[in-house]
């Protein structure tokens, strides 16, 4: 049990208190006004709260959770049910940011109606406010928009194509490939996508597409000229147990912080230094006396239990 206040009514921290809710149209408006879109992944309630309360515009429940949360080698294994589970938690922790859920591998690759059905589950059962799909799946985007599901596209290095690509490689390295990527981005925009993630492409390609496209681009490993940027939360805070990719900037070292906290806790337990007397509940004086004069063992236990419980309840109520 933890008495930490996680209720939906807990006060909002810091700067998002007065900021309006971000919706898919907000992203288009930000592009028009030249305001950069900040985006991060989150996969659970506390991370979503932290990210949301700091004023990040878009939270992606990425299928990268397969790797950073569940320890898989790539993103292919994560299921629709797992995405639902994590999206629900993120939605509970988010008030302002737009919550986008990734459609996992296999949830839309078979048929358009399969993709629509799974996207509707993410909206209806988990509270996703948009879904993200990888690749130039124009027909699916059109069908999703017809079904009232906002869509974020994802082009360039699409991790669900890892087997076909033979690894994670920077894409669009030739003029032809850039032109194809630009055509795909336009096709997605015309089909109704509200934004497009551009991943792992040369800066110049991302800049050209961003300048030409009517909808925002959100880059990861695509240089600084996109309309917004996204990173995987665990990369940002060094919780991945792997060297960072070239495009990652580490803004904190949660790994070192957590290791040190856990290590100090373990040492304190081993040395009887935790918990202290101040971190303990106490019997009321009367019960202490009863205990010390040595009642019959069973009576003493009953009396003490009742008092400890009452005492603990009172202390918790005051906390
Ligand atoms: O799953 C994910 O985290 C992503 C981002 C890298 C864009 O798709």
């Amino acid at each position: 049990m933890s008495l930490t206040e996680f209720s939906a009514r807990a006060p909002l921290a810091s700067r998002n208190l007065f900021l309006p809710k971000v919706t898919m149209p907000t992203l288009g408006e930000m592009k028009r006004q030249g305001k950069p879109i900040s985006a991060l992944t989150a996969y659970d309630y506390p991370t979503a709260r932290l990210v949301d309360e700091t004023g990040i515009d878009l939270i992606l429940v990425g299928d990268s959770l397969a790797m950073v949360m569940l320890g898989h080698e790539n993103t292919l294994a994560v299921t629709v049910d797992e995405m639902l589970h994590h999206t629900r938690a993120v939605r509970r922790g988010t008030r302002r940011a737009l919550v986008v859920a990734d459609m996992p591998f296999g949830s839309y690759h078979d048929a358009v109606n399969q993709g629509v059905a799974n996207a509707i589950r993410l909206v209806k059962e988990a509270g996703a406010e948009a879904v993200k799909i990888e690749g130039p799946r124009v027909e699916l985007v059109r069908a999703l928009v017809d079904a009232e599901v906002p869509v974020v596209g994802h082009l360039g290095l699409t991790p669900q194509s890892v087997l076909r690509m033979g690894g994670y490689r920077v894409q669009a390295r030739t003029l032809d490939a850039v032109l194809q990527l630009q055509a795909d981005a336009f096709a997605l925009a015309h089909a109704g996508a509200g934004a497009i993630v551009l991943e792992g492409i040369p800066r110049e390609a991302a800049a050209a597409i961003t300048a030409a496209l009517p909808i925002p681009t959100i880059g990861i490993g695509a240089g600084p000229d996109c309309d917004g940027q996204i990173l995987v939360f665990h990369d940002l805070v060094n919780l991945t147990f792997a060297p960072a990719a070239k495009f990652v900037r580490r803004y904190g070292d949660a790994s070192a912080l957590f290791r040190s906290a856990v290590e100090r806790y373990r040492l304190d337990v081993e040395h009887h230094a935790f918990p202290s007397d101040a971190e303990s509940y106490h019997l009321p004086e009367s019960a202490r006396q009863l205990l010390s004069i040595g009642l019959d063992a069973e009576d003493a236990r009953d009396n003490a239990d009742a008092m400890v419980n009452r005492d603990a309840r009172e202390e918790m109520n005051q906390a």
Side-chain angles (χ1 to χ4, degrees), residues 181-240:
L181 194 65
Q182 181 153 330
D184 290 344
F186 266 95
L188 290 179
H190 287 138
I196 297 183
V197 168
L198 294 177
E199 178 166 359
I201 61 172
R203 172 180 181 170
E204 298 75 17
I209 294 171
T210 300
L213 211 61
I215 59 171
T217 60
I218 301 176
I220 173 163
D225 307 305
C226 295
D227 298 303
Q229 295 292 330
I230 185 163
L231 279 179
V232 168
F233 177 83
H234 292 63
D235 282 336
L236 185 90
V237 298
N238 190 25
L239 265 183
T240 56

Side-chain angles (χ1 to χ4, degrees), residues 41 43 60-65 75 102 132 134 154 159 197 199 220 230-232:
T41 64
Y43 317 101
L60 172 69
V61 188
D63 61 354
S64 49
L65 79 85
T75 61
D102 245 340
K132 179 167 79 57
E134 294 188 7
H154 184 160
V197 168
E199 178 166 359
I220 173 163
I230 185 163
L231 279 179
V232 168

Side-chain angles (χ1 to χ4, degrees), residues 134-135 154-162 164-165 168 171 199:
E134 294 188 7
H154 184 160
L155 296 174
L157 194 172
T158 47
Q160 290 175 10
S161 318
V162 60
R164 179 175 55 73
M165 293 185 305
Y168 300 107
Q171 302 292 300
E199 178 166 359

